[in-house]
Amino acid sequence: PLRHLGAVNSIAISGDGRFLVSGSSDGSLWIWETDSWTLSGDAIKICNGSVDCVAISPNNKFFASVSADQTVRIWDKETRSGTILKGHPYAVNSIAFFPDGQRIVSASWNKTIVILDTQTGGAIGQPLTGHSETVRAIAVSPDGRRIASSSNETVRLWDAKTCQAIHVLDAHWVQSISFSPDSRHLVSGSMDRATQVWNVET
């Protein structure tokens, strides 16, 4: 098998299942065609550091990356041209597209969450605050109504329209979160080896 020169930190698969993107500690992005499991073109070299998170837009035309040089970039899959989104002034751990593809939500080391406009590259509104520790993971519900974020021992659910926190869930060192396809449930995975399923409404 083909191998990155560093650890593979993040993988995202397109909604149509035709390709996936992998981000590595070697500072590169690889695009894979799933019908043949071969690389699509050359690797995209971002920085001398690490690519920590990748995400693919709902229309499968763009993908986004977070790297150790403290940048969030959005890429055109066909042209492979990248644009830096400048709305987040701190290092980012995790990113997720909204269903409309016009916005990205980012989780940061400085305990905040920022919504970025993919067209202008700037922030939309004020940062979402309330976590007392580093925000480690972020997710947007498929219906676009909720944002979920995790920070050590809490998971917060936010109203995506008002950007207000609607639930604070007691958890334990959550490292990853994901919504169910119907947006009714949230799943969290933590360092205590447990996976928890949450009812989003209650």
Side-chain angles (χ1 to χ4, degrees):
L2 295 171
R3 297 179 183 271
H4 279 282
L5 298 178
V8 178
N9 296 323
S10 182
I11 290 175
I13 191 165
S14 62
D16 59 12
R18 297 177 61 185
F19 71 96
L20 64 83
V21 178
S22 58
S24 171
S25 294
D26 62 17
S28 72
L29 289 165
W30 288 8
I31 304 173
W32 304 81
E33 302 294 342
T34 56
D35 58 351
S36 60
W37 295 112
T38 57
L39 284 178
S40 174
D42 296 328
I44 300 173
K45 183 66 175 177
I46 297 180
C47 63
N48 293 324
S50 175
V51 179
D52 297 322
C53 186
V54 293
I56 298 174
S57 65
N59 66 5
N60 305 311
K61 293 182 178 180
F62 303 94
F63 58 93
S65 65
V66 170
S67 54
D69 60 3
Q70 300 187 8
T71 60
V72 178
R73 288 178 170 88
I74 186 165
W75 303 86
D76 185 300
K77 179 181 179 291
E78 296 303 319
T79 66
R80 294 173 179 258
S81 58
T83 302
I84 295 178
L85 305 185
K86 300 179 180 181
H88 213 313
Y90 296 94
V92 176
N93 293 315
S94 181
I95 50 174
F97 277 93
F98 277 81
D100 61 13
Q102 303 300 308
R103 296 168 291 166
I104 290 176
V105 62
S106 59
S108 175
W109 281 92
N110 76 330
K111 310 174 188 178
T112 66
I113 298 156
V114 173
I115 299 174
L116 303 170
D117 188 311
T118 60
Q119 302 300 310
T120 67
I124 300 174
Q126 296 299 310
L128 282 62
T129 60
H131 282 293
S132 60
E133 300 290 343
T134 295
V135 185
R136 299 184 179 277
I138 200 83
V140 179
S141 62
D143 62 10
R145 296 177 56 211
R146 301 282 186 266
I147 300 168
S149 58
S150 69
S151 173
N152 289 357
E153 296 186 5
T154 62
V155 173
R156 286 178 174 259
L157 281 172
W158 309 80
D159 184 302
K161 185 175 181 179
T162 65
C163 293
Q164 298 298 311
I166 52 178
H167 294 296
V168 179
L169 315 176
D170 292 327
H172 191 223
W173 291 98
V174 173
Q175 301 295 297
S176 60
I177 49 178
S178 182
F179 281 95
S180 61
D182 63 6
S183 301
R184 296 176 60 187
H185 296 91
L186 181 75
V187 182
S188 61
S190 66
M191 291 183 68
D192 63 2
R193 308 177 190 176
T195 300
Q196 182 71 49
V197 181
W198 307 88
N199 183 303
V200 171
E201 295 303 325
T202 65

